[in-house]
């Protein structure tokens, strides 16, 4: 009889424990499933773990292939390469980049910023490419890659009419105005004993020259012609300061985009598109 009573009591205790256990799981729905449970086995199934990896890889590929937006960083005060017509940024670089974006099956978005902010914008991911009459230099290659060149340009010297500066050698010891971060800024550093005054926009440097604050401006030939045509008493020297090639800047870790941009440029050069864009903005004298 005692054995029977003990057995009945043990059954009651076990039943109560089971009920208490069920109640505990309802009160803590976020508790991790026990090891070896069906839920854990499902989470470890190969079909489940493989799917997210494929989606991630596909998303990365889309950034450098078809679809999406190609963000171009520029400084839109460099006519005829990039400048404003009303609220729209136009020019050689703007049209060329739009043609490249079309080849990539993407839509071009242009972001205007200070010239020396372009490379940081690319490296931070705020922009995909930098197109701003940008010359390939050793210093810039430390931070970004460059596409194949899409055009050749020259840096020239602007002075006041009647200036004693007649050529490159006459810049020694003079006050030279440049646009901050441009090729003119870089190469002006090589002028012996020169004082370099840096401006955020090329037009600001030219205005300083007109006002007699500086002695000369070093800048790209095509923008120089635009500035001089709109300002009285200035001229461009016949001697070229330096010849350079313009290319598209791309982040060093974006080799996929670099390859696709180069392919697009090759095709656009071969079919005459790039030359037709240049001819639209730069007419033979």
């Amino acid at each position: 009889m005692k054995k029977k009573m003990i057995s009945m009591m043990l059954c009651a205790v076990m039943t109560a424990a089971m009920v208490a256990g069920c109640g505990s799981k309802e009160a803590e729905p976020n508790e991790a499933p026990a090891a070896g449970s069906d839920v854990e086995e499902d989470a470890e199934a190969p079909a489940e773990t493989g799917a997210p990896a494929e989606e991630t890889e596909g998303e990365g590929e889309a950034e450098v292939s078809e679809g999406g937006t190609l963000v171009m960083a520029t400084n839109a005060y460099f006519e005829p390469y990039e400048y404003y017509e009303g609220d729209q940024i136009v020019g050689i670089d703007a049209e060329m980049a739009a043609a490249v974006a079309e080849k990539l099956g993407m839509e071009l978005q242009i972001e205007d910023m200070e010239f020396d902010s372009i490379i940081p914008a690319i490296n931070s991911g705020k922009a995909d490419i930098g197109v701003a009459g940008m010359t390939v230099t050793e210093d810039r290659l430390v931070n970004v890659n460059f596409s194949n060149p899409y055009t050749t340009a020259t840096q020239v010297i602007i002075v006041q009419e009647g200036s004693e500066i007649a050529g490159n050698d006459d810049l020694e010891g003079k006050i030279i105005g440049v646009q901050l971060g441009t090729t003119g800024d870089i190469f002006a550093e090589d002028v012996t004993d020169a004082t370099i005054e840096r401006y955020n926009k090329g037009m600001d440097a030219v205005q300083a020259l007109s006002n007699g604050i500086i002695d000369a401006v070093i800048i790209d030939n095509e923008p120089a012609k635009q500035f001089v045509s709109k300002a009285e008493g200035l001229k461009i020297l016949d001697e070229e300061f330096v010849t350079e090639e313009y290319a598209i800047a791309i982040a060093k870790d974006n080799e996929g985009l670099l390859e696709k941009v180069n392919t697009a440029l090759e095709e656009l050069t071969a079919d005459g598109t790039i030359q037709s864009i240049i001819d639209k903005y730069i007419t033979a004298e």
Side-chain angles (χ1 to χ4, degrees):
M1 184 71 176
K2 287 183 179 180
K3 289 182 179 181
K4 185 176 180 180
M5 289 289 294
I6 292 171
S7 177
M8 292 176 64
M9 290 173 65
L10 285 173
C11 288
V13 171
M14 291 176 66
T15 301
M18 290 175 65
V19 171
C22 292
S24 174
K25 289 298 179 185
E26 290 177 2
E28 300 178 16
N30 294 326
E31 184 177 345
S37 69
D38 291 340
V39 176
E40 185 175 5
E41 288 173 2
D42 288 343
E44 294 178 351
E48 298 264 344
T49 27
E54 290 180 5
E55 290 175 7
T56 302
E57 182 178 352
E59 289 173 3
E61 181 67 20
E63 291 177 3
V64 294
S65 59
E66 293 186 354
T69 302
L70 184 69
V71 181
M72 163 184 156
T74 194
N75 178 252
Y77 298 90
F78 200 60
E79 189 175 354
Y81 290 95
E82 40 269 320
Y83 61 99
Y84 280 96
E85 277 191 356
D87 295 331
Q88 184 179 7
I89 297 175
V90 299
I92 294 171
D93 287 346
E95 288 201 27
M96 181 273 298
V100 169
E102 184 177 359
K103 284 284 187 182
L104 271 56
M106 304 176 77
E107 181 179 350
L108 182 68
Q109 175 182 320
I110 303 178
E111 296 292 338
D112 185 17
M113 61 188 68
E114 302 296 347
F115 188 89
D116 62 341
S117 297
I118 294 174
I119 288 179
I122 295 169
N123 287 330
S124 68
K126 293 180 180 178
D128 301 306
I129 59 175
V131 192
M134 189 174 290
T135 308
V136 181
T137 67
E138 292 299 323
D139 288 342
R140 289 172 183 161
L141 283 169
V142 172
N143 297 302
V144 292
N145 285 329
F146 279 96
S147 69
N148 297 330
Y150 59 88
T151 191
T152 300
T154 56
Q155 291 285 314
V156 296
I157 302 168
I158 306 175
V159 297
Q160 289 189 348
E161 293 178 354
S163 170
E164 63 180 15
I165 300 173
N168 296 350
D169 293 340
D170 297 328
L171 290 173
E172 182 176 344
K174 298 296 191 292
I175 304 174
I176 303 172
V178 297
Q179 183 177 0
L180 180 64
T182 62
T183 310
D185 185 356
I186 294 170
F187 287 107
E189 291 284 358
D190 295 332
V191 179
T192 304
D193 295 330
T195 299
I196 312 302
E197 294 292 339
R198 296 174 172 85
Y199 300 86
N200 286 327
K201 298 179 177 64
M203 66 176 67
D204 293 340
V206 174
Q207 185 62 48
L209 175 62
S210 294
N211 294 336
I213 298 173
I214 58 179
D215 300 313
V217 172
I218 298 176
I219 199 166
D220 180 275
N221 184 52
E222 295 305 325
K225 290 191 289 188
Q226 299 292 332
F227 291 139
V228 170
S229 69
K230 299 172 183 176
E232 293 183 4
L234 301 182
K235 67 177 182 179
I236 300 171
L237 299 184
D238 293 333
E239 184 181 359
E240 296 175 353
F241 187 69
V242 68
T243 301
E244 55 191 345
E245 292 181 321
Y246 288 166
I248 298 173
I250 300 172
K252 282 190 170 294
D253 61 356
N254 206 342
E255 294 286 345
L257 180 58
L258 177 64
E259 181 180 348
K260 290 178 182 296
V261 166
N262 278 333
T263 298
L265 287 175
E266 290 173 7
E267 295 174 357
L268 293 168
T269 299
D271 66 16
T273 298
I274 289 181
Q275 189 58 52
S276 67
I277 292 172
I278 293 172
D279 292 344
K280 175 181 175 181
Y281 289 93
I282 301 176
T283 57
E285 295 179 347

